[in-house]
Structures are given as structure tokens and as C-alpha cells.
Amino acid sequence: MANVSLGKMLEDVSDKYPGKISLIYEDRRITYEELNRSVNALGNHLKSLDVKKGDKVALMLPNIPEFVTSYFATVKSGAVAVPLNILSTPYELKYLLDNSDSKVLITTSSSAKKFEEIEKNLSSCRHLVLTDSPDGETSFQVAAGKGTPELVMPEISGDDPAVMIYTSGLTGKPLGAVLTHKNLSTQSPLLEDVCEGSEHDTGLSLIPLFHSFGAAANMLCVIKLGASTVLMDQFSIDSIFQTIEREKVTYIAGVPRLFLGMLLHKDAENYDVSSLRLCITGGSTMPPEYIPVFEKKFGVRLVEGYGLTEASPVCSVSRVNMEQKPGSIGIPIPAVEAKVFDEGGNELPADKVGELVIKGANVMEGYYKDEDATAEVIKNGWLYTGDLARIDKDGYIFLTGRKKRMIITSAFNVYPREVEIVLDTHPAVAQSRVIAKPDLMRGEIVKALIVKKEETTVNEKEIMRYCRTYLSSHKVPREVEFVESLD
């Protein structure tokens, strides 16, 4: 494969389209040349903090331009970006920073107190870099705005790690999926190759960029093409419609909840969304009956895709110029194979249900510092997804269920075991079981079944409040039911 360095990709686009708008955020408009200069300057600042090739730099940032700058400054320096959920609790943050061996955390002033709460007990993270401050310029702002705009990149190969994204683990502890420059280079051409995009596209970035889907669909794909991205950090359905109309957005990659929200919005017809040419839904299953309704209402094609963090993440997507089969997640992206295996690892014929397996340059290197967990999911070069599926005679993939215990809520994976571990530490809980409950807008929600210890009193709100101390909000049960037994 030709050059696959993400830093070189940004540099090439900056050379080709220096004055073109790359990022739009509120009243800021940042050209490719400005973005690349800020990336280089911040990369030099990271080097001054003794960040070397292969070192880890954690990013806990919302969808703001500083996320993009930090991400590319890290990978262009040869280091590994570790994007973290901005809703991580101090308890979760300590584990993630220690497990990843991150040397630096880049975050906002509003999240700094989480770091300060755990700072003394961290094993490797010694530097906090703030993107903003109420008290004047931060080192980030000085470096990105006034630092040396040339960066000497180290030699970077496709097999070098670029990003490490944490995904929930079956054992209850998150696992760091190590994605190489080569892995992520399978994602960056997708907007052009699969979605018929061009440099004239304007994407709308609503999925968090710390999520693998958000980073691939709304950052890497767009930058590779020299297109523009509108970043939205906080939004309502009305503000989304307003932004589509104002910025002439052509392309949205989002979760089903977004498109259902648009479809069901009572004032939708008051907005001009005629600029939209393509919407892609992924992260969780879109109820198939709503897709034609959405397309008719807004006059735009809505296609479904599928991926998982361990595959960088996109594996398949329905093509704009191919037959749409309701309920299908499309066909594999270029250079990716998908098959369905039985329990013995044998390929099943068309339309037989088994475990979906994936092979291709998009499959991760492995889980960081966990060979056993890696060996469980990658066997003979095939990534075992844990999803049950069938593939029809035309190669279209249809998901039918899950082999592993997992809940997908608003595109976030939640492993019940992680929630149960927290619940079981509550002094009033004798036993717990966490299950998925179907939900139209979120796909599924987290529900907890709890057996109380004798002679204890506790209510639903107390359980939820306790969980919020230790778990990100998407993992906290939205429903609690007290039961006599779990049999």
C-alpha cells in the first residue's frame, strides 16, 4: 500500500487545498493550511514534553477543532492517540490512563478536575494540557497559535500504531484496541470510494469524535477528500436542521436516534434540507421500516452501515448505486471479506445463520497488553465479531442477533458484566443482572435486575446515583427492577 501515514495524509491535503475550509465550529472557520500549521506547532509542543514515537497521548475532548488538532499532532509526531469518552468518571479515567500508559492528557478546563482528583495515584500520566482556560492563554493555545509551524515527522510505517480506542470488555474491564496507520487508511477513502463524495461535500459531525465511527466517518473520510466538516458539540434537533440549512450540509453519518429524531420532529418541514445528498446510519440497528419514510420525507438517500471498533470500525455499507435490501447492513467495503462461520469455524452457505467474521487490512493489531483477549477474537486472521448474521447469495449481510452478552445503546457498547461489578459493590445489593431493554430511539437501554440484601432499603434513584459515581452515563441503568431472585 502506498503512503498510509495519517499525518502525511493531512499534509498532502493541506498542500492541495491550502485555502479551503476544513473545520467549521460555531463562528470559527479553519482552513486546511491553518489546521496543518496548528497540528505541527502542537506536535512540537508534545515533543517538548518528551513525547516520543510510540508514546501514548490521551485526548478527552468534545467535538471541537482542538480534538482534530490534538489527534493529528499526536499521530504526526509518531505517538499514539488515545481518545477517551468525555463523560468518563474519575474512576474510569484512572484505569484508562494507567492501562494505556498515557504520558499526557489533553482536555478542557471543565474536565481538568477529574484529572486533578486522581493525579497523585497515576502511574505514567505526568502532563495535563488544557485547550482552554478562564485565566488567559494555555500552553495548548500558545503552542497551536504561535509555535513553530514546521514539524519533522519520524519515519512512520503502515504497521505503526496510530490510535488506541477503548471498547468494553467481556470481563468487565475496557480493552484498548490498537489501530495502525494502515488500519485507519482503509477508512479514509470511504466517502469517495463508497459514497461518491468529493471535495465539495460538507459533512455534519454529531457522533463524538472519540468514538471510532465518528472519527472515521466525520474526520478521516472528510479530510482525505479535502471536504469540510461542521463540528457540533451540543445540539438539539432544531439546531441540527438550522445547521444543515445554513451550512448547506451534504452528508451526515449518524446513529439511528438522530435520523428518527429528524423524522419525528414536528417542525421538520420548516427547514430547507435540499443540500443533503446522503445520510449514513450505523452504530446500532435502524428499524428498517423507517428508512423509506425518511427518504421520502427529506428527499435524500439513507443507507445503513456496520462496523466495530476492532475493525477501525467500518466493515460494510449499503451502496448508493446498488439495490437496497431492507434490514441489510450492505456489502463489505473494498478489500474486506465477510463470512459466516458455525461453532466449529466452518464457513456456512448463503442464508445460514452463524457468527459474522471479518478479514482485511481494517482489522486491529490487537488489544493492548492483552494477548489472551486478542486470541479470543482474532483466529487465523479472522476477526470474530460476536454478532450473528446471514449473508444472502448477492453478498448482502443481515444481522440476526448477538452471540455475546452486550447492549448497544445510542451506538455505545455496554458489556453487562462491567455494570454488574459496580452494582455488586453497593452495600444493599446481594445479586444483580444487567439486561437490554428494546428502545425505539436508543436501540436498547440498560436495565438492572437487583436482589436486595435482607434488612436493607434502597430505591431506584439511589442505585442510579451510585452507578454514576463509577460509570459513564451511557452505562448507567435507565431502569432498575427489584426482584426476589435471579433464577
Side-chain angles (χ1 to χ4, degrees):
M1 189 178 284
N3 162 58
V4 290
S5 156
L6 297 181
K8 186 69 167 59
M9 178 182 86
L10 174 61
E11 212 158 72
D12 289 347
V13 175
S14 173
D15 289 343
K16 188 174 181 182
Y17 302 112
K20 193 165 187 307
I21 299 298
S22 169
L23 305 176
I24 299 166
Y25 178 71
E26 295 180 344
D27 58 354
R28 296 163 65 186
R29 276 168 161 65
I30 300 167
T31 66
Y32 273 100
E33 183 175 43
E34 290 166 340
L35 175 60
N36 192 48
R37 286 170 66 93
S38 295
V39 164
N40 289 347
L42 184 61
N44 287 319
H45 180 59
L46 291 176
K47 285 186 176 182
S48 77
L49 299 178
D50 199 34
V51 172
K52 300 183 177 69
K53 183 178 177 181
D55 283 343
K56 316 300 186 303
V57 175
L59 321 176
M60 191 163 68
L61 295 166
N63 280 15
I64 55 177
E66 289 79 5
F67 181 101
V68 184
T69 304
S70 301
Y71 182 103
F72 278 94
T74 301
V75 299
K76 208 171 180 185
S77 306
V80 181
V82 185
L84 303 178
N85 190 329
I86 58 170
L87 299 175
S88 297
T89 63
Y91 170 83
E92 291 170 317
L93 183 59
K94 182 185 185 310
Y95 172 81
L96 295 168
L97 291 175
D98 283 351
N99 183 264
S100 65
D101 299 315
S102 290
K103 293 176 76 167
V104 178
L105 172 65
I106 303 177
T107 192
T108 59
S109 57
S110 59
S111 293
K113 57 183 178 293
K114 292 180 183 179
F115 176 83
E116 289 157 1
E117 193 175 313
I118 59 173
E119 186 175 8
K120 290 177 183 173
N121 299 316
L122 293 172
S123 60
S124 60
C125 193
R126 297 287 173 263
H127 300 284
L128 177 66
V129 176
L130 296 181
T131 58
D132 64 295
S133 167
D135 309 318
E137 281 192 315
T138 65
S139 61
F140 181 104
Q141 291 166 320
V142 171
K146 302 170 188 170
T148 308
E150 286 87 31
L151 175 69
V152 179
M153 277 195 292
E155 192 69 35
I156 296 173
S157 80
D159 292 329
D160 285 326
V163 178
M164 187 156 74
I165 301 180
Y166 277 84
T167 181
S168 295
L170 286 168
T171 58
K173 284 294 184 185
L175 298 165
V178 179
L179 305 176
T180 65
H181 286 264
K182 182 179 177 183
N183 290 155
L184 293 167
S185 73
T186 64
Q187 307 292 297
S188 51
L190 292 178
L191 182 53
E192 181 177 20
D193 293 353
V194 172
C195 302
E196 301 178 358
S198 76
E199 72 275 15
H200 304 297
D201 271 307
T202 298
L204 186 57
S205 183
L206 300 167
I207 310 168
L209 291 172
F210 60 73
H211 192 289
S212 57
F213 182 29
N218 295 323
M219 183 173 67
L220 298 180
C221 276
V222 176
I223 286 176
K224 170 73 171 174
L225 259 185
S228 306
T229 298
V230 184
L231 299 172
M232 293 188 77
D233 172 23
Q234 295 175 322
F235 48 82
S236 63
I237 294 294
D238 273 310
S239 68
I240 290 168
F241 276 120
Q242 289 161 6
T243 303
I244 295 168
E245 185 174 87
R246 183 180 65 250
E247 302 294 349
K248 301 290 186 283
V249 170
T250 63
Y251 153 78
I252 303 175
V255 296
R257 185 180 175 187
L258 163 69
F259 300 115
L260 289 168
M262 289 174 65
L263 180 62
L264 301 173
H265 191 60
K266 60 181 172 53
D267 296 324
E269 61 278 356
N270 295 341
Y271 298 98
D272 177 8
V273 298
S274 59
S275 59
L276 280 177
R277 67 169 191 86
L278 179 65
C279 293
I280 300 172
T281 177
S284 57
T285 303
M286 177 82 174
E289 64 273 20
Y290 286 96
I291 292 178
V293 182
F294 182 94
E295 292 183 329
K296 184 177 180 183
K297 182 166 184 173
F298 296 113
V300 60
R301 178 60 65 85
L302 176 62
V303 298
E304 192 157 11
Y306 166 83
L308 63 167
T309 300
E310 292 85 345
S312 304
V314 182
C315 299
S316 71
V317 66
S318 294
R319 304 297 197 269
V320 177
N321 55 2
M322 289 175 61
E323 178 191 354
Q324 303 298 305
K325 297 191 179 185
S328 170
I329 53 170
I331 63 172
I333 64 171
V336 167
E337 282 184 85
K339 291 186 177 181
V340 170
F341 283 179
D342 65 14
E343 290 286 346
N346 306 301
E347 184 180 359
L348 291 169
D351 287 318
K352 293 292 183 184
V353 173
E355 183 169 2
L356 181 64
V357 296
I358 301 292
K359 181 186 277 191
N362 61 330
V363 173
M364 68 171 180
E365 181 183 275
Y367 294 122
Y368 188 58
K369 299 189 299 191
D370 201 326
E371 291 181 7
D372 290 344
T374 302
E376 278 184 39
V377 297
I378 301 178
K379 303 169 189 173
N380 301 317
W382 290 97
L383 172 66
Y384 283 65
T385 67
D387 288 309
L388 297 174
R390 63 180 178 87
I391 301 177
D392 74 9
K393 59 182 176 51
D394 300 319
Y396 285 70
I397 307 166
F398 295 80
L399 296 180
T400 61
R402 283 186 214 123
K403 190 174 180 183
K404 55 191 176 187
R405 266 189 91 204
M406 186 174 74
I407 300 164
I408 300 181
T409 180
S410 296
F412 287 103
N413 291 357
V414 178
Y415 278 97
R417 188 69 198 121
E418 184 178 3
V419 185
E420 289 164 355
I421 287 170
V422 170
L423 288 169
D424 291 347
T425 62
H426 190 285
V429 174
Q431 285 180 288
S432 67
R433 180 177 298 150
V434 170
I435 60 173
K437 181 179 177 181
D439 181 86
L440 175 62
M441 297 303 282
R442 294 180 174 86
E444 295 173 330
I445 59 170
V446 179
K447 179 175 179 176
L449 305 176
I450 290 175
V451 178
K452 288 189 282 192
K453 289 181 181 173
E454 289 183 19
E455 298 177 7
T456 61
T457 57
V458 66
N459 61 35
E460 183 177 3
K461 286 185 178 176
E462 287 175 67
I463 292 291
M464 291 177 177
R465 190 162 54 243
Y466 183 80
C467 288
R468 274 194 286 272
T469 305
Y470 300 99
L471 298 169
S472 299
S473 56
H474 65 277
K475 301 175 188 173
V476 174
R478 286 186 170 267
E479 280 190 22
V480 175
E481 183 182 342
F482 295 101
V483 296
E484 292 299 315
S485 76
L486 296 176
D487 297 335

